[in-house]
Amino acid sequence: NKAFYNCTGITKFEISGQPTIGSEAFYGVPTMLSYEEVTNGAVAGVRVNGLSLISSKATEIVIPDMVDGKPVTEIATEAFAGNTYIETLTIQSTNIAIGDKAFSQCTALKNVEIPTEGTVSIGALAFENCPIEKLNLSAATEIGAMAFSGCTVSELTLPGGECEVASDAFAN
């Protein structure tokens, strides 16, 4: 129990096998993401796949611009789908593709910060049924079908330039 309690200096953690982890073992440890290296054409980058086991109840998620010296280029399909703990999401990467259903049904997700510069592609149903209140999509180049369906957005900023918006992207 409490093996790494408040060890705020931990930035990377790898677990081999299936160890037994005691209660509050990682309490106070910074949120850690599960990721993998990907290549999209000539661009080598990193895809965020979700939260690591030790961060599964995190309420604040920050998707960094870089991981291990490589740009974060995408968030995987259904990476955080159904997570009922995430309240705040900050995406720092300015050129990113958010996969289909990446944050679908994240019923506590109210605060979302997406870059206002660069290129942001948002997949179908990416934020379906999230109680997002305010949203700035000024860097969006593509918004997938039903990407924000069922959301309770009261303040919305859309891009001034070209942006492909699919059907029912903001359907209620």
Side-chain angles (χ1 to χ4, degrees):
N1 293 342
K2 299 184 180 183
F4 300 98
Y5 192 88
N6 278 334
C7 290
T8 58
I10 295 175
T11 58
K12 189 171 183 177
F13 194 87
E14 294 183 33
I15 298 175
S16 297
Q18 296 180 342
T20 301
I21 299 173
S23 68
E24 297 184 343
F26 296 97
Y27 180 86
V29 173
T31 301
M32 288 186 244
L33 301 172
S34 167
Y35 62 89
E36 66 182 314
E37 293 184 20
V38 294
T39 302
N40 187 0
V43 178
V46 172
R47 173 181 30 234
V48 174
N49 292 322
L51 291 170
S52 67
L53 172 67
I54 64 174
S55 297
S56 62
K57 293 186 179 181
T59 59
E60 185 174 333
I61 303 298
V62 176
I63 306 293
D65 191 33
M66 304 283 278
V67 171
D68 291 338
K70 293 187 170 79
V72 175
T73 57
E74 57 186 284
I75 299 172
T77 297
E78 298 184 7
F80 300 90
N83 184 302
T84 58
Y85 298 99
I86 302 171
E87 298 172 3
T88 301
L89 167 67
T90 303
I91 299 174
Q92 295 176 339
S93 182
T94 55
N95 296 301
I96 193 161
I98 301 170
D100 294 350
K101 295 186 178 185
F103 297 93
S104 176
Q105 306 295 334
C106 288
T107 56
L109 183 57
K110 291 183 180 178
N111 306 303
V112 175
E113 291 182 37
I114 295 175
T116 56
E117 296 178 358
T119 58
V120 177
S121 172
I122 302 168
L125 299 161
F127 292 92
E128 171 196 31
N129 292 325
C130 295
I132 301 167
E133 297 169 350
K134 187 166 110 175
L135 197 53
N136 185 337
L137 298 175
S138 55
T141 56
E142 180 181 356
I143 301 172
M146 301 182 77
F148 296 95
S149 67
C151 291
T152 55
V153 178
S154 60
E155 190 176 324
L156 176 65
T157 303
L158 291 171
E162 288 188 33
C163 178
E164 185 178 325
V165 181
S167 64
D168 296 325
F170 297 93
N172 199 1

